[in-house]
Amino acid sequence: MLISMTSTPPAPTNDTRDRILDAAERLFVENGFDGTSMRMITGAANANLAAINYHFGGKDALVQEVFRRRLAALNARRLDELDRLEAEAAGAPLKPSRIVEAFFGTALELAADTEHGGRTFMRLLARTYNEPNAFVRQFLAEEYAEVMDRFLGALFRALPEVPRAEILWRFHFMIGAMAFAIAGLGGLSELMEVGPQDEDPARLLPRLMSFLLGGLRAPLPDGGLQG
Amino acid sequence: MLISMTSTPPAPTNDTRDRILDAAERLFVENGFDGTSMRMITGAANANLAAINYHFGGKDALVQEVFRRRLAALNARRLDELDRLEAEAAGAPLKPSRIVEAFFGTALELAADTEHGGRTFMRLLARTYNEPNAFVRQFLAEEYAEVMDRFLGALFRALPEVPRAEILWRFHFMIGAMAFAIAGLGGLSELMEVGPQDEDPARLLPRLMSFLLGGLRAPLPDGGLQG
DNA sequence: GTCTATAGACGGATAGAC
DNA sequence: GTCTATCCGTCTATAGAC
């Protein structure tokens, strides 16, 4: 029989903690936070009920960790893209289309990943923009603070002739359009029963981008165009 | 002392049933469906816990009635507007902007009514587009079926040179933009802490309309313009 | 780290008096 | 129609054995 040597442990990347996070992510999308119990999560993750409290400290802390582990990476990529654009421009104002692409392109890229749960997470995130739960919204706002600040600033500089309130609203509209599109990727956009069955996010990105840029460049409400 | 005569009762328009519906509407926005208990609702409505089951049959039936009583009127107005446009056009194709205005203008008009709970309801509705709860989504889809059918058909006829899949997606994007804008009207759009403090929906309508029409008229992803 | 067992609060629903 | 009292299930969290 084999005797356990002092060899290094086999580095179980798929340990209980990760299985819980993956199961929670999936179940939160399907049932919402309040509609998903710790029993459902640990059941799906083949873990013990007490494991959530042992590993995370409670259900709320688990919810935060589900977001944190992926959102940190997504927003870091967004900031990298923006850094790169600004370095290339060397002081010149950026093209609005490049800014928009840096923000929404990264999101849709993650939503295209069905292998490692990227799509599942993005559907959860999209849904959570409208989450009633106060502490979840508060947590999201904090995670987004820097990204919002940087991207809005870049848009302000890129469109100096457009009133800032207008840019603010239009960025708001753009996020809403993206969120609704991504949230419906699971195939449950019953709202239009004819619904976009074409679920390929590779085709969604150009569709969304041209819509968003069309909206961003639209004539201002009072009249007057801006390129 | 006064003796109760056989006079007609004072027609209590604000009876228990309505108070429950109003309280439920408000609490659902603040806490979500699962986060709102029957005890919370009846407490806020100064009604007895058993009243929900007596008047509606259960919590799920109450949720449906909260939507039904207002959504039926909203969608009827939308269909009326579309009927009127089509009657005026007398067979000619409609202007896309008029179709969009008939759909989204009515919604924003209701969202502007803070006196009779219209805003509260529209915030609830906007949130519910992304609701995980299966039976709520199913119910919404049924309530919207005719309106979607009519408006998508009108857009298809108004833009015969645009692929229908494209129109479908863009209508999808437009609904998402509107929903996110309305859901944030309560002042809790923490996402951008700079957030549009300007909450006047009278100014929101022109802003949103020009954004939506810009997106609808944007060049198609593969290239090629369409007015 | 994992498990069982259980505490303690709260959920929706209902029976039956008034 | 309204109310009290209660049933019964599920929830999160924790104590303590292994």
Side-chain angles (χ1 to χ4, degrees), chain A residues 131-213:
Chain A
E131 167 68 29
N133 191 311
F135 100 92
V136 177
R137 275 207 323 270
Q138 176 63 26
F139 171 75
L140 260 197
E142 287 167 16
E143 283 284 319
Y144 263 107
E146 187 186 358
V147 170
M148 283 297 165
D149 203 51
R150 289 283 311 276
F151 274 83
L152 282 175
L155 282 174
F156 290 161
R157 282 188 296 278
L159 300 165
E161 76 283 11
V162 181
R164 294 193 167 192
E166 207 68 44
I167 295 179
L168 227 42
W169 273 110
R170 290 190 174 188
F171 201 58
H172 215 75
F173 297 150
M174 290 162 74
I175 290 176
M178 174 196 67
F180 193 57
I182 287 182
L185 279 182
L188 20 104
S189 181
E190 294 105 339
L191 210 92
M192 321 186 186
E193 78 276 27
V194 206
Q197 309 96 329
D198 173 5
E199 290 189 44
D200 185 9
R203 296 185 58 185
L204 174 55
L205 176 58
R207 285 195 215 272
L208 180 62
M209 282 299 301
S210 71
F211 178 86
L212 294 183
L213 291 175

Side-chain angles (χ1 to χ4, degrees), chain A residues 79-92 94-95 97-103 151:
Chain A
L79 292 177
D80 281 349
E81 293 282 329
L82 190 55
D83 286 339
R84 196 174 53 74
L85 290 179
E86 289 180 339
E88 284 179 13
L94 303 181
K95 282 186 64 178
S97 62
R98 308 301 298 272
I99 301 171
V100 170
E101 209 170 326
F103 188 91
F151 274 83

Side-chain angles (χ1 to χ4, degrees), chain A residues 34 127 130 132 137 141 148 166 169-170 172-173 176-177 180-181 189-192 196 198 207 210-211 214-215 218-219, chain B residues 34 127 130 137 141 148 166 169-170 172-173 176-177 180-181 189-192 196 198 204 207 210-211 214-215 218-219:
Chain A
D34 291 340
R127 231 175 223 174
N130 281 0
R137 275 207 323 270
M148 283 297 165
E166 207 68 44
W169 273 110
R170 290 190 174 188
H172 215 75
F173 297 150
F180 193 57
S189 181
E190 294 105 339
L191 210 92
M192 321 186 186
D198 173 5
R207 285 195 215 272
S210 71
F211 178 86
Chain B
D34 291 340
R127 225 168 230 180
N130 280 0
R137 275 207 322 270
M148 284 296 165
E166 207 67 45
W169 272 110
R170 291 190 173 187
H172 215 74
F173 297 149
F180 193 56
S189 181
E190 294 105 338
L191 211 91
M192 321 185 186
D198 174 4
L204 174 55
R207 286 194 214 272
S210 71
F211 178 87

Side-chain angles (χ1 to χ4, degrees), chain B residues 190-211:
Chain B
E190 294 105 338
L191 211 91
M192 321 185 186
E193 78 278 26
V194 206
Q197 309 95 328
D198 174 4
E199 292 190 42
D200 183 11
R203 297 185 57 185
L204 174 55
L205 177 57
R207 286 194 214 272
L208 180 63
M209 282 300 301
S210 71
F211 178 87

Side-chain angles (χ1 to χ4, degrees), chain B residues 45-128:
Chain B
N46 270 326
N48 187 272
L49 169 60
I52 287 182
N53 282 301
Y54 176 80
H55 284 285
F56 303 97
K59 187 183 178 180
D60 285 1
L62 167 63
V63 171
Q64 289 200 11
E65 181 60 18
V66 165
F67 282 99
R68 201 205 49 75
R69 68 166 178 165
R70 292 210 200 246
L71 199 50
L74 172 61
N75 280 339
R77 278 208 51 204
R78 282 169 163 159
L79 292 177
D80 282 348
E81 292 282 328
L82 191 55
D83 285 341
R84 197 174 52 74
L85 289 179
E86 288 179 340
E88 284 179 12
L94 303 182
K95 280 186 64 177
S97 62
R98 308 301 299 271
I99 301 172
V100 170
E101 209 169 326
F103 188 90
F104 294 94
T106 46
L108 285 201
E109 203 170 295
L110 186 52
D113 161 41
T114 55
E115 296 295 317
H116 309 88
R119 157 120 23 137
T120 304
F121 171 71
M122 284 308 295
R123 290 182 59 214
L124 176 62
L125 181 60
R127 225 168 230 180
T128 309

